Amino acid sequence: MSLLEKIERAFADVSGVDQMKSHVQSALAEGTSPLQILESMRQGLSTAGRKYERGEYFLSELIMSGIMAQELSAMLKPYLQKDGGQFLARIAIGTVKGDLHDIGKNLVSTMLSSAGFEIHDLGVDVPPEKFVEVVEKEKPSMIAMSCLLTVAMDTMRNVMDQLAESGLRTQVKVLAGGRPITSDFVARIGADGYAADAIEAASVAKATLTK
Ligand code: B1M
């Protein structure tokens, strides 16, 4: 089994942080790209998520898979970050209200910052009022909304509505993404850009801001 397969398996089997880290260290030492490692993590997490859905895993396993993903993201951050230089634009990012998932959002943040954007991370469970307040006070060029739970998707629509009601919609671009989000949904709520993953988020942000 290749190291990438071992990493994927470590996430799918939720085999613990130490074993996963040792595979990742070996893969990095072999010169494996951090993006390939992230893709293996993503595939392993998908399997773990499906096992949870089928009742084969408990919430404790879901929590452990989240801890493993955070550890892996922290290990890869130095390989993905850009040093110094001038920022292209400022982006305020957050996971929308009702949703506490932040691993994908943090990866998007890292990729945006490695693409040259200045990031203001608002964290998780961010209400529409907070997005609006940040646009009003800090004037970022873009807000980036992440959402993993279907029940929280409506918050994105509320953010768009509140931006329009406060007269700020034309002052900021809006990027949205996350597991249940589609380009159709993004078009329906009137946001400017959709990205399926963290790498695409960086290119879509650039394209949207130069439109
Ligand atoms: Co939760 N969870 N979870 N969970 N969790 C999912 C999302 C779920 C699909 C699992 C399942 O049942 N199959 C399911 C949602 C079902 C649904 O809504 N339809 C689910 C559930 C039900 C829940 C709870 C309700 C469980 C419970 O309490 N009974 C609960 C909700 C808590 C809350 O938020 N209010 C819950 C809790 C948790 C943990 C805390 C245990 C943990 C999160 C830890 C953390 O984030 N700090 C957790 C985890 C780990 C998962 C899974 C297994 C993995 C999520 C993840 O980090 N993936 C997940 C199953 C799955 O996704 N297959 C699951 C890796 C990450 C890199 O991918 O976040 O998708 P992702 O991000 C990607 C893209 O989506 C995209 O780019 C990222 C990187 O490429 N992207 C963007 C994300 N944001 C973007 C923004 C953009 C652009 C792209 O532009 C701005």
Side-chain angles (χ1 to χ4, degrees):
M1 203 190 291
S2 74
L3 279 166
L4 285 173
E5 283 165 342
K6 284 185 183 167
I7 293 166
E8 180 182 338
R9 176 72 72 83
F11 279 96
D13 294 348
V14 196
S15 66
V17 171
D18 291 344
Q19 200 180 27
M20 176 278 293
K21 274 186 162 176
S22 114
H23 295 324
V24 172
Q25 262 148 8
S26 308
L28 287 170
E30 270 187 1
T32 308
S33 139
L35 296 179
Q36 280 180 296
I37 295 175
L38 282 178
E39 178 54 22
S40 297
M41 173 187 85
R42 198 191 59 73
Q43 287 176 8
L45 281 172
S46 286
T47 308
R50 281 197 300 274
K51 287 185 184 174
Y52 173 74
E53 238 168 285
R54 293 198 296 263
E56 291 166 30
Y57 277 172
F58 294 110
L59 185 59
S60 54
E61 269 127 351
L62 202 61
I63 292 172
M64 190 60 203
S65 73
I67 292 170
M68 287 171 66
Q70 272 164 335
E71 291 282 337
L72 174 54
S73 303
M75 274 176 94
L76 296 186
K77 208 169 179 179
Y79 295 85
L80 298 168
Q81 258 169 349
K82 180 186 158 92
D83 303 319
Q86 261 213 315
F87 293 118
L88 294 174
R90 191 178 332 139
I91 300 181
I93 187 168
T95 302
V96 296
K97 188 174 166 54
D99 194 341
L100 303 174
H101 293 85
D102 66 356
I103 297 161
K105 185 265 295 167
N106 293 343
L107 278 175
V108 171
S109 240
T110 303
M111 293 314 293
L112 288 173
S113 103
S114 84
F117 293 101
E118 182 186 6
I119 301 301
H120 178 177
D121 193 337
L122 306 172
V124 296
D125 200 20
V126 182
E129 300 75 31
K130 180 68 188 174
F131 279 110
V132 171
E133 183 193 314
V134 166
V135 172
E136 194 170 25
K137 294 198 177 143
E138 298 176 23
K139 308 205 180 325
S141 306
M142 173 176 269
I143 56 172
M145 300 188 283
S146 174
C147 174
L148 270 268
L149 294 179
T150 30
V151 290
M153 286 169 70
D154 256 359
T155 310
M156 287 190 170
R157 194 190 302 278
N158 297 339
V159 172
M160 300 310 297
D161 290 347
Q162 292 200 22
L163 280 174
E165 281 160 23
S166 52
L168 294 166
R169 177 64 186 100
T170 53
Q171 294 179 28
V172 70
K173 300 281 188 190
V174 182
L175 179 69
R179 197 173 185 273
I181 307 303
T182 61
S183 52
D184 274 1
F185 176 77
V186 166
R188 277 205 303 279
I189 64 170
D192 302 291
Y194 160 76
D197 58 40
I199 298 168
E200 207 178 291
S203 53
V204 174
K206 273 187 189 165
T208 307
L209 285 168
T210 51
K211 248 188 220 169

